[in-house]
């Protein structure tokens, strides 16, 4: 079995800003149902969609840390978040700067990391989990 973990994250805010939630899904090996190791669905209170996206990554990385992955592919449908984490965009928002620093700190604890932008349809389960938390 491939030892790469795949972490899919999504954050949502209804109203932007508005009620917010996060979802995260972790697989060991190829992202298939039989390789699912953990999921997260959590309401986070009043926030913006960009803050929710970052909090989804923070919470997802904390969840993944329990499994001590040597290789992790972080996948998100947020182009802004991915490009900021790759250093292609600057983090201008004062709300996002501390969250960006926390994500970077958490990523530094994993020996090998790939950060990837995926289409929304590839991130469906994380989106469902975020919306489930909003609806509950």
């Amino acid at each position: 079995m491939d030892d790469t973990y795949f972490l899919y994250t999504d954050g949502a805010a209804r109203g932007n800003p508005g009620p917010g939630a996060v979802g995260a899904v972790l697989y060991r090996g190829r992202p298939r149902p039989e390789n699912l190791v953990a999921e997260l669905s959590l309401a986070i209170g009043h926030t913006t969609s960009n803050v929710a996206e970052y909090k989804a990554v923070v919470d997802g990385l904390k969840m993944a840390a329990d499994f001590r992955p040597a290789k992790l592919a972080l996948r998100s449908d947020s182009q802004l978040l991915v490009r900021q984490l790759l250093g292609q965009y600057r983090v201008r928002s004062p709300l996002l700067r501390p969250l960006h620093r926390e994500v970077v700190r958490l990523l530094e604890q994993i020996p090998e990391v790939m950060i990837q932008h995926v289409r929304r349809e590839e991130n469906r389960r994380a989106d469902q989990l975020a919306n489930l938390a909003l609806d509950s």
Side-chain angles (χ1 to χ4, degrees), residues 24-67:
V25 185
L26 183 66
Y27 299 93
R28 182 170 185 207
R30 296 185 59 152
R32 295 186 235 182
E34 64 269 21
N35 294 337
L36 176 69
V37 294
E39 290 185 326
L40 171 74
S41 178
L42 183 67
I44 58 171
H46 191 85
T47 192
T48 67
S49 59
N50 288 335
V51 167
E53 292 284 1
Y54 265 97
K55 287 189 175 188
V57 175
V58 168
D59 290 344
L61 288 171
K62 288 178 179 178
M63 176 179 72
D66 292 340
F67 299 91

Side-chain angles (χ1 to χ4, degrees), residues 10-25:
D10 198 23
R14 291 202 178 135
N16 197 27
V22 299
V25 185

Side-chain angles (χ1 to χ4, degrees), residues 67-112:
F67 299 91
R68 300 175 197 246
K71 292 192 276 184
L72 179 85
L74 171 60
R75 295 179 167 179
S76 171
D77 60 19
S78 169
Q79 192 173 79
L80 175 73
L81 177 133
V82 168
R83 290 192 176 184
Q84 286 177 337
L85 291 176
L86 292 173
Q88 296 168 348
Y89 288 177
R90 289 195 322 217
V91 183
R92 296 175 190 232
S93 167
L95 293 173
L96 299 182
R97 281 191 203 121
L99 292 166
H100 180 270
R101 281 192 298 273
E102 186 171 8
V103 168
V104 169
R105 182 186 61 77
L106 291 166
L107 289 172
E108 286 172 346
Q109 297 172 17
I110 302 168
E112 188 178 329

